[in-house]
Each structure stands twice: as C-alpha cells, then as structure tokens.
C-alpha cells in the first residue's frame, strides 16, 4: 500500500535541480508521483514501503549531489532542515566572501600597469574562487552528469571550467605570443562568474525564506511541550507523546497544545489565529478549545479530543503545505521547459562557437569562446523555474493568514478566472443559526409532548442547520424515543419508523409524498421563513417556521463581486417565496428556490455549458454535489465536514468578506505568475542572442561572461522579489 510522504531536500538551487531530484526519485523502485516544491525545497512522493524505504530514496538523492532529511518526526525534520539550511547559508556566505575577494583583487590587478608575471598572479588569485568557492557547483555537476541529468550547476561549472582551463593552456603553452590581454586570458571571468552567481544565490535564498514565512508562522503556533496530568501528577511531555483523552493543564499566557474540552477552570482565550475574531472568547467547563490559541488569565484543564496533526491547527498546516507543494497547470508547463532547457542551452553554446568560426573574422576562435561561455552563464533557467512556485507559495500563505484555506494551487489559479458565483442560502448568505419563530400543531394538547419527543429524537440525527434549530427549540427535557429505519434525504428531510408507523420531517413536497394534506389557510409568520412539516403517514402533525439572520456583510460582498464583473446566483432548497424575499433584500437578480441537491448541480452544469467559469459557495452536506460539480468549490468554515473535504477553498470563519478577498488574492497571484514568466522568458529571449554576439556586427559589443553571471543572478532575484509583493497586497473589505 502506498503512502504519501514529504521530505525536505538540501542543496537545490534551481528548477533544473528540482527536475533532477524528481528524476532520481522516480527511478527508485516503489517510489512514484515524485514532485518537488522548489520554493520550500520539499520532495513529495508516494512510497510503497514493501519495495522502498526512506533510506533508499535518500541514497538516490545523494547520488546526484543533494541530501534528503528522512526523520520520521515532522518536528525533527523541520529542526534538522533549519539546522542544515543555516549551515548551508553560513557556507554560502563564506564561499561568497572568498569568490568576491578573488574577483575584486583581479579587477584591481587589471587596473595596474602590465608586468611580466601578471598572468601567473591572475591565475593564482582566481584559483581559490574557481576551486574552493565553486566546489559545490563542480561536485554537483559531476554527480549529475554520471546520471545523465543537468541543472544550473552544469552551466556554471562548465562555463567557469572552460574559462579557467582555456586561460591556463594559453598561459602555459603559447608563451611566444604577447602577454596579458592579447593572449585573451579569462581567469577573471571564471572567478567573477562564480562570485556573481553565489551572491545571487545567497540573496535569492534569503528572500526565498520569506516566501515560506506563512507556514513557519503557523508552525510557531504549536507549542513544543505540554503539562499533562496523569494519575494526579503533572508531567511536562513533548507534544508528539500526547494521545486523545489526555488531561492537559494550561496556565495563563500559554498556548493550548490540543483540541479539547475544558474540564476545570474558566478563562478567556484568544482565538484570532483560528477564527479571525480579535476579541477573546470566554471559556468554562464544557467549552471547546483549540490548539495554538492563547489562554488568558485563568488556569484551564483540558481533556484532549484531537492531538498533533489531527487538530484544527494541524489540519490547516497540512492543507497549506499540500497546497504549496501542489503544481498549477501553468507551472507544469514551466517545469517541462526548465527540464529540457539546460541541454538546449549547451547546444546553443556549441552552435554559437561554430557560427563564429564560420564567419572567418579575426580572432573568431577567441570571440566564439567568449560568446559560448556567456551563453552558458546567462541562460540559467532559475528565473523560469522560480516564476510560478514562489508566487503560489506566497499567495497561498497570505491566504492562510487571512483565514482563507486553499487546498491546492489549481484551485487558486482557477478561482482567478471565475465569472459566476453560485451561493447557497442557509449558512452562507445567512449566519447559519436559524431559530424556530412559529409553531402550528395539528394534534391534541395531550399528544403534543409525545410528538415533540419524536421530532426531537429524529432531528438530533440530522446534520441540516434547520434540524439544529428544531433541536434547540425542543430540547428542554432532553428525552428521546428509540427510532428505527432512520434515513436522511439531503435537501428534503428525514424519515423514520416508530411503533410500526412511518414519520417524515422536511419540506412540503417530502411529506406530501406520504399523502399528507397541507392546510391552505395557514400562512407563514415571515415571508422569508423556511417551513418544515412533520407528518405520520398521511396525517400532518405539525408545521414550523424557521428564520435565519442575514449575514451582515452579505449585500456588500455581492456588490463587490458585481463590481468585479462576476454574476451571482442564489440557489436554495427553501421555498421559492422565501428565496424571492431574501433576494429582494440582497438586490439579487438571479435566484432559484425549491432546489434539490441534484438540481443545484444541474444548474451549475448548465452555466458551465454556456461557457461560464463557476464557483460554488456552500456549507452543508446537501451542497456537496454542487461543490464537486463547480470549477472551484468554496466551503464555509462552520459548515459540514463533507463540504469542507470536497471544497478547493475553505473560508475558515463564516465571514463572506473573505470571498472577494480570496478572489482578489487569486487574481493577484495569477497576475504575479504571468509577470514572472513574462520576465523570465523575455530575459532569455533577449539575453541569449546578446550573449551570442548579436550586437557585435552593429557596434562591436561583446558581453563579458562575468556580467552575464550578474544578469542571471539579477533575473532570479527579481522574480522572487516580485512574488514577495503579494505579502503586502491590500485586500477588499478587509482593510
């Protein structure tokens, strides 16, 4: 049986590196679906543990010059990754200092008057930069070459090696020629290429750490230890050792380590990181608390119901990670291009040299070599490989910080293209806490208590928000009856048997199917009220008017969507009259009432057939079919578990203002991806011909390989920096 696993990778620098890691992982027997998330340096794979182990995978990755962190504990993985990344950052700083020391000394030396030993001194000064500072590039290139894979390291190593050894051969074996520049020595180029590339990679790595800031912020919400009460004794234990049912004591100011129920004490708890609400919530015995929230002034004892990755915070972290690791369709294209880019560049470099030879120009060999080296250096696919993942990681992270949980990159990309939003009514446009506002009984007063108990017994088995209202209204004594053959009919109601007779609770059509006669002389207490009926076979027992308060921001949100050119439609299973009344309040032109779950799905299919890109927003089990039919599904955070599981985007709090915010953020992310890709492609389309010597016949300009290295580094940094702008993007209605 295959299991999805994630491993941090150490040493990747570009899309070519990521492609090499994916190839190496895929060649391991028992490993499939290898996918590298470059911005976070994470390898996701499906592992058949009968055929392969994590250590087998690690050996394969090490064989091509990278390393894999395979500890079982996620916390330990992150700790080791942070330690190894910190060590790698220190090494990169040291290597950058060495490379730039060589480069600067070479530049100063070239400004001095020529003397006989200058070429030899240049070689000695360039040697530490080429060998020691560039050793990582050379080692990685050699390891990858043995496996037939290529990356940025291949281009850097190849270009600097050609520069250095060409110069060395000229210096040692062609002494009859004039010294210095007339011999066309490129020791300076070999050192300066490595200096510029290392500086660029160092800046890129520091900026890249910011792209994953959201996930690190979420991780910091998880305390490392908890005070556990077992057998009357308090023991400090690591979070990983906790199990459901443990009693945890939380002192004032501490983070709550588990999801659970308060069994002792009372306090106020800051839940803004979960709910988005700025004010603390009061907690007492029986209250639910969540991992990562902060206890106020009181001491709480909490019995854990969920621990570790099963907590609300754990699920958020897991979802954000999976989303950031996923690839949008546009990224897959970029990855394919990046995967074949290096061999193409090497081919272009060779072609450049050949064309120069064919020109028959003076010093064609020297100029051809110079241009071939510049092509190798300037055409690194780093910017192309980073264009999409950096924007997606920042965009998804920014969404998570605002209470918008994106399941995968594809959902974020698709959401930017929607032009129609279908909304459920109850729990979406309304607050989802309906109350019974009117009751009509069609039985004698003596039978009312029994009918109430039956009704309560049935509705506690339903997940519909209207059922919850009935339960709240009839739960005074909490007494229930033993029911049989209970069946839920989503969007219609619930059926059960009691003492050999069939009962139904639900909408008018549902109870009329059993022959129940609905009186025509009784009107609803409110035109926008939902009406439920309770019948025993053909006899009507009761009727209930249920109203739900409108979301305070609903009208403003719909207006915001309209300004974006998005069509909004309300579909509800409620009465057409109630749907019409609510639509008038909201200014909605498109609405349908009396819709079954399948009707909602069919309506969405019709919209899609007409060419619309449709998002469905819902919260209940009855919305699941419609959610799965839409191009993008959006679930309200307080909705049913099934709806949230189906949805591509979840609004973690029932605040409709998050909907236009999510839309704006998805558009901004998509726009940033396109900007990054446009820049990366334009850079290569312009830079490669210039590096090849296109301008030489016009104005005699030839690109110095060292400057080519600087241009390549700048292109990668610009892409990462552009993506980071999403962190400060202002969102509508949340300002």
């Amino acid at each position: 049986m295959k299991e999805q696993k994630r491993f941090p990778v150490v040493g990747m620098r570009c899309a070519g590196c990521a492609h090499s890691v994916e190839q190496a992982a895929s060649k391991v027997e028992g490993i499939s679906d290898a996918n590298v998330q470059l911005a976070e340096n994470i390898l996701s794979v499906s592992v058949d543990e009968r055929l392969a182990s994590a250590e087998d995978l690690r050996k394969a990755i090490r064989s091509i010059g990278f390393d894999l962190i395979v500890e079982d504990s996620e916390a330990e993985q992150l700790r080791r990754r942070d330690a190894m990344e910190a060590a790698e950052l220190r090494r990169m700083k040291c290597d950058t200092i060495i490379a730039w020391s060589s480069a600067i000394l070479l530049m100063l030396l070239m400004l001095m008057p020529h003397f006989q030993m200058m070429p030899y001194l240049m070689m000695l000064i360039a040697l530490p930069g080429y060998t020691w500072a560039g050793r990582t590039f050379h080692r990685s290139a050699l390891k990858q070459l043995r496996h037939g894979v290529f990356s940025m390291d291949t281009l850097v190593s190849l270009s600097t090696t050609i520069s250095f050894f060409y110069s060395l051969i000229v210096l040692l074996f062609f002494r009859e020629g004039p010294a210095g520049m007339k011999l066309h020595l490129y020791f300076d180029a070999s050192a300066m290429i490595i200096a510029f590339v290392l500086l660029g990679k160092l800046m890129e790595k520091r900026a890249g750490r910011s792209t994953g800031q959201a996930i690190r912020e979420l991780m910091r919400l998880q305390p490392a230890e908890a005070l556990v009460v077992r057998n009357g004794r308090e023991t400090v234990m690591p979070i990983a050792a906790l199990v459901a049912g443990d009693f945890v004591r939380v002192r004032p100011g501490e983070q709550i380590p588990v999801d659970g129920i308060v069994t002792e004490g009372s306090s106020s708890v800051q839940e803004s990181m979960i709910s988005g609400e700025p004010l603390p919530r009061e907690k007492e015995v029986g209250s639910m608390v969540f991992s990562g929230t902060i206890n106020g002034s009181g001491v709480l004892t909490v019995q854990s119901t969920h621990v570790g990755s099963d907590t609300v915070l754990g699920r958020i972290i897991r979802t954000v990670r999976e989303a950031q690791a996923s690839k949008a369709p546009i990224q897959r294209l970029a990855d394919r291009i990046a995967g074949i880019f290096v061999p193409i560049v090497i081919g272009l470099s060779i072609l450049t040299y050949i064309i120069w030879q064919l020109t028959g120009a003076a010093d064609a060999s020297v100029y051809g070599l110079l241009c071939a080296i510049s092509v190798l250096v300037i055409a690194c696919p780093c910017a192309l490989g980073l264009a999409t993942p950096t924007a997606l990681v920042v965009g998804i992270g920014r969404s998570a910080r605002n209470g918008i949980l994106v399941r995968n990159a594809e959902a974020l990309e698709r959401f930017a293209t929607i032009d129609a939003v279908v909304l459920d009514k109850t729990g979406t446009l309304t607050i989802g806490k309906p109350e019974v506002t009117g009751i009509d009984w069609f039985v004698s007063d003596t039978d009312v208590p029994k009918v109430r108990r039956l009704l309560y017994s049935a509705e506690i088995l339903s997940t519909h928000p209207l059922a919850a209202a009935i339960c709240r209204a009839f739960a005074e004594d909490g007494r229930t009856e033993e029911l049989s053959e209970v069946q839920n009919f989503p969007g219609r109601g619930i059926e059960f048997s009691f003492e050999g007779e069939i009962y139904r609770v639900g909408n008018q059509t549902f109870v009329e199917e059993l022959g129940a006669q609905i009186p025509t002389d009784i009107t609803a207490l409110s035109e926008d009220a939902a009406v439920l009926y309770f019948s025993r076979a053909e006899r009507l027992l009761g009727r209930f008017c249920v109203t739900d308060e409108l979301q305070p921001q609903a009208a403003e949100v719909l207006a915001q969507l309209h300004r974006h050119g998005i069509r909004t439609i309300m579909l509800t299973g409620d009465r057409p009259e109630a749907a019409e009344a609510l639509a008038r309040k909201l200014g909605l032109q498109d609405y349908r009432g009396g819709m079954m779950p399948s009707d909602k799905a069919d309506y969405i299919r019709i919209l899609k057939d007409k060419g619309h890109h449709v998002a469905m927003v819902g919260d209940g089990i009855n919305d699941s079919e419609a959610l799965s039919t839409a191009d993008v599904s959006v679930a309200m955070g307080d909705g049913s578990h099934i709806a949230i599981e189906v949805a591509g985007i979840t609004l973690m709090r029932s605040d409709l203002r998050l909907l236009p915010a999510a839309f704006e953020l998805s558009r901004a992310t998509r726009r940033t991806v396109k900007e990054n890709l446009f820049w990366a492609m334009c850079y290569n389309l312009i830079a490669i011909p210039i590096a090849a010597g296109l301008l030489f016949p016009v104005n005699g300009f030839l690109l110095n390989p060292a400057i080519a290295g600087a241009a390549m580094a700048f292109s990668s940094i610009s892409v990462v920096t552009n993506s980071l702008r999403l962190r400060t993007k202002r969102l509508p209605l949340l300002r």
Side-chain angles (χ1 to χ4, degrees):
M1 182 168 177
K2 290 191 175 182
E3 184 179 354
Q4 194 72 23
K5 290 192 174 183
R6 295 162 48 88
F7 303 100
V9 185
V10 181
M12 290 192 300
R13 300 179 186 87
C14 67
C17 299
H19 185 69
S20 299
V21 170
E22 289 176 347
Q23 280 189 318
S26 299
K27 290 177 181 177
V28 179
E29 188 180 5
I31 301 292
S32 60
D33 301 326
N35 177 31
V36 167
Q37 204 285 307
L38 184 58
E40 282 287 289
N41 288 339
I42 293 291
L43 170 65
S44 298
V45 293
S46 293
V47 183
D48 188 341
E49 294 187 338
R50 296 170 299 179
L51 301 174
S53 66
E55 200 56 45
D56 294 330
L57 182 61
R58 186 181 191 184
K59 288 178 182 176
I61 302 303
R62 279 183 164 180
S63 71
I64 58 170
F66 307 102
D67 201 359
L68 203 68
I69 300 173
V70 298
E71 276 72 13
D72 291 334
S73 167
E74 189 174 28
E76 183 62 18
Q77 277 190 2
L78 292 172
R79 188 193 66 77
R80 279 212 61 203
R81 184 182 71 173
D82 289 344
M84 293 178 75
E85 283 188 346
E88 187 182 16
L89 198 60
R90 288 194 297 271
R91 180 192 57 74
M92 288 178 69
K93 288 178 180 177
C94 182
D95 290 347
T96 303
I97 292 170
I98 293 171
W100 274 99
S101 298
S102 292
I104 291 170
L105 286 173
L106 283 167
M107 285 188 285
L108 292 173
L109 188 63
M110 291 170 64
L111 296 174
M112 297 172 62
H114 175 75
F115 55 91
Q116 189 175 3
M117 297 302 293
M118 177 183 280
Y120 297 96
L121 187 58
M122 290 177 67
M123 185 269 291
L124 290 174
I125 294 173
L127 195 60
Y130 167 71
T131 56
W132 182 257
R135 70 192 184 283
T136 306
F137 299 110
H138 305 317
R139 286 176 183 171
S140 180
L142 285 171
K143 287 183 178 180
Q144 292 174 44
L145 186 61
R146 286 200 296 267
H147 292 80
V149 294
F150 305 95
S151 70
M152 182 206 76
D153 294 346
T154 309
L155 299 179
V156 174
S157 179
L158 188 59
S159 60
T160 55
T161 299
I162 293 173
S163 301
F164 189 89
F165 282 96
Y166 167 82
S167 302
L168 188 63
I169 292 169
V170 170
L171 179 62
L172 297 178
F173 300 106
F174 296 93
R175 302 178 72 106
E176 69 279 1
M181 292 302 294
K182 290 184 180 181
L183 287 175
H184 302 287
L185 302 179
Y186 296 111
F187 291 120
D188 59 321
S190 66
M192 292 182 70
I193 288 170
I194 288 175
F196 276 117
V197 172
L198 277 174
L199 180 62
K201 291 292 120 185
L202 182 62
M203 295 173 67
E204 183 185 309
K205 192 169 188 67
R206 292 175 69 91
R209 286 181 65 84
S210 299
T211 64
Q213 189 64 31
I215 199 71
R216 282 189 281 274
E217 289 176 1
L218 289 170
M219 292 296 297
R220 282 197 289 269
L221 294 176
Q222 295 181 309
E225 296 177 330
L227 186 62
V228 181
V229 182
R230 290 180 179 174
N231 301 320
R233 297 178 60 185
E234 293 183 349
T235 308
V236 177
M237 299 178 63
I239 294 296
L242 297 182
V243 296
D246 275 338
F247 289 88
V248 178
R249 190 151 291 156
V250 187
R251 291 170 293 207
E254 291 182 341
Q255 288 178 311
I256 297 173
V258 297
D259 289 358
I261 300 170
V262 177
T263 58
E264 292 181 27
S266 61
S267 183
S268 59
V269 175
Q270 178 57 261
E271 294 184 341
S272 59
M273 63 288 295
I274 300 292
S275 66
E277 299 297 328
L279 298 177
R281 293 185 177 181
E282 296 299 319
K283 303 292 181 179
E284 57 188 14
V285 174
S287 298
M288 192 74 189
V289 293
F290 302 98
S291 174
T293 58
I294 301 172
N295 186 26
S297 57
V299 178
L300 297 176
T301 300
V302 178
Q303 184 177 18
S304 61
T305 56
H306 298 88
V307 299
S309 60
D310 292 331
T311 63
V312 170
L313 179 61
R315 291 197 299 272
I316 291 172
I317 292 172
R318 185 169 65 249
T319 301
V320 172
R321 274 188 170 157
E322 289 172 354
Q324 291 183 337
S326 64
K327 291 186 178 181
I330 196 169
Q331 186 181 345
R332 298 188 187 104
L333 175 62
D335 286 351
R336 285 196 294 271
I337 295 172
I340 62 172
F341 201 74
V342 174
I344 291 174
V345 169
I346 294 173
L348 288 173
S349 175
I350 296 170
L351 183 63
T352 298
Y353 183 81
I354 293 171
I355 291 174
W356 270 100
Q357 301 308 301
L358 296 175
T359 61
D363 292 329
S365 296
V366 175
Y367 290 154
L369 182 65
L370 182 69
C371 291
I373 292 171
S374 295
V375 169
L376 285 174
V377 175
I378 207 167
C380 176
C382 294
L384 184 63
L386 290 167
T388 302
T390 53
L392 289 174
V393 165
V394 177
I396 291 168
R398 177 72 195 283
S399 300
R401 284 198 297 272
N402 284 278
I404 304 162
L405 199 58
V406 181
R407 185 171 296 279
N408 53 56
E410 188 172 357
L412 188 68
E413 184 181 337
R414 283 187 174 183
F415 201 53
T417 66
I418 63 163
D419 56 17
V421 174
V422 174
L423 302 107
D424 177 45
K425 174 179 151 296
T426 305
T428 302
L429 291 171
T430 62
I431 63 174
K433 294 188 177 176
E435 300 294 335
V436 176
T437 56
I439 302 174
D440 293 314
W441 294 112
F442 302 104
V443 295
S444 64
D445 293 344
T446 55
D447 289 333
V448 168
K450 178 183 178 183
V451 174
R452 287 170 62 100
R453 285 198 305 273
L454 285 173
L455 183 62
Y456 177 72
S457 303
E459 294 290 49
I460 60 174
L461 303 175
S462 174
T463 57
H464 198 281
L466 298 184
I470 297 290
C471 291
R472 287 191 294 272
F474 298 152
E476 308 92 74
D477 57 6
R479 292 177 61 192
T480 60
E481 300 285 356
E482 188 70 30
L483 311 180
S484 60
E485 300 178 12
V486 180
Q487 295 185 72
N488 273 287
F489 295 85
R492 307 181 68 199
I494 187 169
E495 181 183 282
F496 64 90
S497 293
F498 180 73
E499 295 180 348
E501 293 194 88
I502 298 175
Y503 292 78
R504 280 188 173 184
V505 188
N507 59 36
Q508 181 173 342
T509 304
F510 187 56
V511 299
E512 284 180 337
E513 289 175 357
L514 289 180
Q517 299 297 313
I518 307 300
T520 58
D521 58 337
I522 301 175
T523 58
L525 299 182
S526 174
E527 63 176 350
D528 60 348
V531 182
L532 295 177
Y533 298 88
F534 184 28
S535 72
R536 182 181 66 233
E538 72 278 359
R539 183 181 178 187
L540 185 65
L541 304 176
R543 191 186 73 159
F544 318 97
C545 293
V546 183
T547 56
D548 194 3
E549 187 179 344
L550 194 65
Q551 288 268 16
Q553 305 87 11
E556 187 181 5
V557 166
L558 294 177
Q560 180 73 29
L561 293 174
H562 288 159
R563 285 194 291 272
H564 280 296
I566 298 173
R567 179 183 175 187
T568 54
I569 308 107
M570 178 182 70
L571 303 181
T572 176
D574 207 349
R575 296 176 303 128
E577 298 84 1
E580 183 183 3
L582 187 66
R584 283 201 304 270
K585 290 182 180 180
L586 295 171
L588 271 172
Q589 300 299 315
D590 291 343
Y591 61 91
R592 299 287 189 280
M595 302 284 282
M596 301 295 295
S598 59
D599 297 332
K600 294 181 181 179
D602 290 340
Y603 190 91
I604 291 172
R605 290 189 188 97
I606 292 170
L607 288 174
K608 290 170 68 175
D609 290 340
K610 291 180 178 179
H612 289 288
H613 298 276
V614 186
M616 168 69 191
V617 188
D619 73 316
I621 292 175
N622 60 311
D623 298 323
S624 302
E625 186 178 355
L627 287 167
S628 60
T629 305
D631 294 299
V632 182
S633 50
V634 183
M636 306 298 287
D638 291 342
S640 74
H641 175 73
I642 293 176
I644 293 172
E645 285 297 312
V646 170
I649 297 174
T650 299
L651 309 182
M652 290 304 296
R653 56 185 189 273
S654 292
D655 185 348
L656 269 181
R657 293 179 301 172
L658 294 178
L659 189 62
F663 177 72
E664 184 63 32
L665 196 53
S666 67
R667 280 197 169 179
T669 302
R670 191 168 184 264
R671 187 166 55 249
T672 301
V673 169
K674 288 183 174 181
E675 290 170 354
N676 288 349
L677 287 173
F678 178 80
W679 162 249
M681 295 300 295
C682 286
Y683 162 79
N684 280 295
L685 289 172
I686 295 171
I688 291 176
I690 292 175
L694 182 67
L695 298 179
F696 185 79
V698 180
N699 56 14
F701 176 80
L702 285 179
L703 188 66
N704 188 297
I707 304 302
M712 182 271 289
F714 172 75
S715 70
S716 298
I717 295 167
S718 64
V719 163
V720 175
T721 304
N722 189 45
S723 296
L724 289 174
R725 292 192 304 115
L726 288 169
R727 297 177 65 188
T728 57
K729 171 71 179 176
R730 297 184 68 188
L731 301 177
L733 302 182
L734 295 181
R735 299 169 185 173

